[in-house]
Amino acid sequence: MNMHKLVKVLASAGIAATVVTSTQIADSNDGMNTVEAAESKSSNYKYEGDTGYGDGNFLLNDALIKTLEEDGDLAFNGHTIEASEADYEKRADTEYETTKEHDQKFTLYDGTATKVVFPIQEEMLSIDEVTEAYGDDYEIEESKKGKFETYVFKLGDQKKNTDKNIIAFKVEDSYVTQVTIGYSKSY
């Protein structure tokens, strides 16, 4: 099968052209370095726009989860987010400001966000879907009046818990209503 025909078959099957590119890279002499560079770029995640008007399924995206686990570059609406408790502690002695972009609220220290909070449309994303995607290694914090629970996930293979990135899901009646990415003293 010639290369043109292969591309056509892959395209008709809905398989991304990167498959072909990866095959061509592997044939070149420096294929390993190129492939590693491509893999490291895959742990970046950038989100643009509102979060609360959709169904929240972007939170189940493997690229987002991998970025949190690998401490990759994470950004929402142009704000880079440093999402571990250690990232927060490094900046806690400086003044902070809050800002809002679309429906997300950011806490910024010297221009770097240590936390973003945003809504998720009601009854669209269940906590069961979240635990299926993120696993069962989480802590549950109860609200003071018992109206909701917050599932807090610390992601990554760092030895210290304070170095792991945090994502927290506020849950009411088994559905996510709000998400926090980054450290917070209370969720």
Side-chain angles (χ1 to χ4, degrees):
M1 183 181 280
N2 70 29
M3 189 58 105
H4 180 70
K5 207 172 201 177
L6 177 63
V7 170
K8 214 172 186 177
V9 169
L10 289 174
S12 69
I15 298 172
T18 53
V19 173
V20 175
T21 309
S22 300
T23 308
Q24 291 170 339
I25 289 170
D27 290 340
S28 67
N29 293 336
D30 64 343
M32 280 305 256
N33 294 337
T34 310
V35 172
E36 285 175 11
E39 285 174 5
S40 69
K41 285 181 186 172
S42 66
S43 66
N44 298 334
Y45 188 86
K46 292 180 176 25
Y47 187 92
E48 296 291 331
D50 289 310
T51 59
Y53 300 112
D55 58 13
N57 277 330
F58 74 94
L59 293 161
L60 307 177
N61 184 302
D62 288 340
L64 172 62
I65 296 168
K66 183 177 180 182
T67 299
L68 287 165
E69 288 174 343
E70 294 179 358
D71 200 21
D73 293 330
L74 176 64
F76 275 67
N77 290 308
H79 292 283
T80 299
I81 302 164
E82 299 291 332
S84 74
E85 183 177 351
D87 292 325
Y88 164 79
E89 293 294 338
K90 278 187 247 177
R91 297 168 176 87
D93 293 338
T94 62
E95 271 192 51
Y96 73 92
E97 64 177 302
T98 58
T99 189
K100 191 172 179 180
E101 299 284 339
H102 294 275
D103 60 356
Q104 296 124 56
K105 295 176 188 165
F106 296 87
T107 303
L108 305 171
Y109 289 87
D110 293 328
T112 299
T114 58
K115 179 172 72 174
V116 59
V117 180
F118 50 86
I120 297 299
Q121 192 175 20
E122 288 184 30
E123 296 191 10
M124 293 302 282
L125 180 65
S126 75
I127 192 59
D128 291 341
E129 293 171 292
V130 170
T131 56
E132 190 175 309
Y134 287 83
D136 58 5
D137 188 12
Y138 56 83
E139 296 172 16
I140 297 178
E141 293 190 17
E142 299 282 336
S143 68
K144 289 182 177 147
K145 295 184 181 176
K147 291 186 176 184
F148 62 88
E149 302 171 318
T150 303
Y151 287 63
V152 181
F153 293 83
K154 295 180 179 179
L155 304 174
D157 59 5
Q158 297 87 342
K159 288 182 180 163
K160 294 184 352 185
N161 259 351
T162 56
D163 291 336
K164 296 180 180 194
N165 287 319
I166 299 169
I167 186 167
F169 299 87
K170 179 179 173 183
V171 177
E172 297 178 53
D173 298 323
S174 300
Y175 286 94
V176 176
T177 58
Q178 179 178 290
V179 175
T180 302
I181 298 177
Y183 175 75
S184 180
K185 289 183 180 178
S186 64
Y187 293 98

